[in-house]
């Protein structure tokens, strides 16, 4: 929430992403389905401040000066990184508030905290594959399979959509496609060297 007490706003990041979790231009997503970027949020009621009496204008002026000096920048927590690996960015809410937590406009721009920063979530996962298994048939077209996974070099596995799905290596392949013999036939082992 953008305030520590009273009524404020909470925001979130909304990105248009492809099936492989890569950010793409917003025009590629349906604008009618665009989720809301902000909503109201309520924090506990702010403590009441005793106000000076209106019959003493000098005191009011002095109070306003203090009031303007007490405006300060407040920041929300950093949002999620826009990428699961390498070269992403994250955002946070930065608002100017008075001592009661209400929006104000008198904060100094030069001391404004940054709203965005780059974030590094480690190396991108890549496709890793094992050796082919045995063929399911000796002839006539069998199938052989192998394990293909999306993972980081440290072995951490990810959903297939975290790797480039179009580059996924095949995990099964046809084998022993030669035609099978027409009928049963004799099969011989090598001659034994043992004499009888």
């Amino acid at each position: 929430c953008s305030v520590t007490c009273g009524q404020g706003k909470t925001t979130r990041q909304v990105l248009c992403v492809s099936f492989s979790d890569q950010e793409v231009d917003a025009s590629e997503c349906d604008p009618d389905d665009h989720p809301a970027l902000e909503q109201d949020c309520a924090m506990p009621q702010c403590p009441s401040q005793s106000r000076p009496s209106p019959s003493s204008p000098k005191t009011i002026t002095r109070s306003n000066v203090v009031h303007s000096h007490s405006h300060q920048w407040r920041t929300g927590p950093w949002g999620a990184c826009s990428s699961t690996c390498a070269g992403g960015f994250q955002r946070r809410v930065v608002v100017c508030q008075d001592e009661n937590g209400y929006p104000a406009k008198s904060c100094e721009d030069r001391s404004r905290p940054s709203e965005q920063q780059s974030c590094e979530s480690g190396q991108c996962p890549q496709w890793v594959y094992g050796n082919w298994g045995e063929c399911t048939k000796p002839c006539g077209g069998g199938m052989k399979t192998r394990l293909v996974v999306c993972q980081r070099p440290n072995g951490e596995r990810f959903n297939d959509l975290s790797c480039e799905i179009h580059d996924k290596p095949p995990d099964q392949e046809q084998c022993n496609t030669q035609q099978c013999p027409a009928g049963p036939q004799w099969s011989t082992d090598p001659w034994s060297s043992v004499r009888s």
Side-chain angles (χ1 to χ4, degrees), residues 1-195:
C1 199
S2 62
V3 296
T4 53
C5 64
Q7 206 57 30
K9 293 271 187 193
T10 181
T11 64
R12 64 181 176 182
Q13 188 177 13
V14 176
L15 300 172
C16 180
V17 294
S18 66
F19 288 115
S20 57
D21 278 348
Q22 300 298 313
E23 186 180 358
V24 295
D25 191 85
S27 62
E28 295 191 37
C29 287
D30 186 348
D32 295 332
D33 292 338
H34 193 290
L37 291 170
E38 67 175 29
Q39 66 179 11
D40 294 333
C41 56
M43 298 297 281
Q45 191 171 4
C46 297
S48 57
Q49 298 273 326
S50 56
R51 295 283 177 190
S53 110
S55 60
S56 152
K58 286 183 182 175
T59 313
I60 292 174
T61 309
R62 206 176 296 120
S63 170
N64 284 341
V65 171
V66 174
H67 180 80
S68 67
H69 281 305
S70 64
H71 291 176
Q72 59 180 313
W73 293 110
R74 294 188 190 275
T75 59
W78 286 110
C81 195
S82 63
S83 172
T84 55
C85 64
F89 62 91
Q90 56 189 164
R91 290 196 176 103
R92 66 179 174 181
V93 175
V94 177
V95 293
C96 179
Q97 292 179 342
D98 64 18
E99 72 273 16
N100 295 320
Y102 290 104
K105 296 180 180 177
S106 306
C107 296
E108 292 183 4
D109 280 339
R110 64 182 178 183
S111 63
R112 182 187 178 96
S114 60
E115 290 182 327
Q116 181 174 314
Q117 70 178 7
S118 60
C119 49
E120 192 69 46
S121 303
Q123 287 181 288
C124 291
Q126 295 178 325
W127 293 114
V128 177
Y129 50 88
N131 296 323
W132 288 111
E134 291 290 319
C135 194
T136 56
K137 291 183 182 177
C139 59
M143 293 297 291
K144 59 182 179 179
T145 60
R146 65 179 176 181
L147 186 66
V148 178
V149 294
C150 174
Q151 68 178 41
R152 282 191 174 141
N154 66 1
E156 184 184 1
R157 289 195 182 180
F158 286 81
N159 181 295
D160 279 6
L161 294 178
S162 295
C163 286
E164 186 52 64
I165 200 71
H166 300 297
D167 295 338
K168 182 177 183 179
D171 57 2
Q172 60 180 20
E173 194 174 86
Q174 211 169 19
C175 53
N176 292 343
T177 54
Q178 74 276 15
Q179 198 169 1
C180 292
Q185 58 186 6
W186 292 110
S187 173
T188 58
D189 286 340
W191 288 105
S192 169
S193 60
V194 178
R195 291 180 183 177

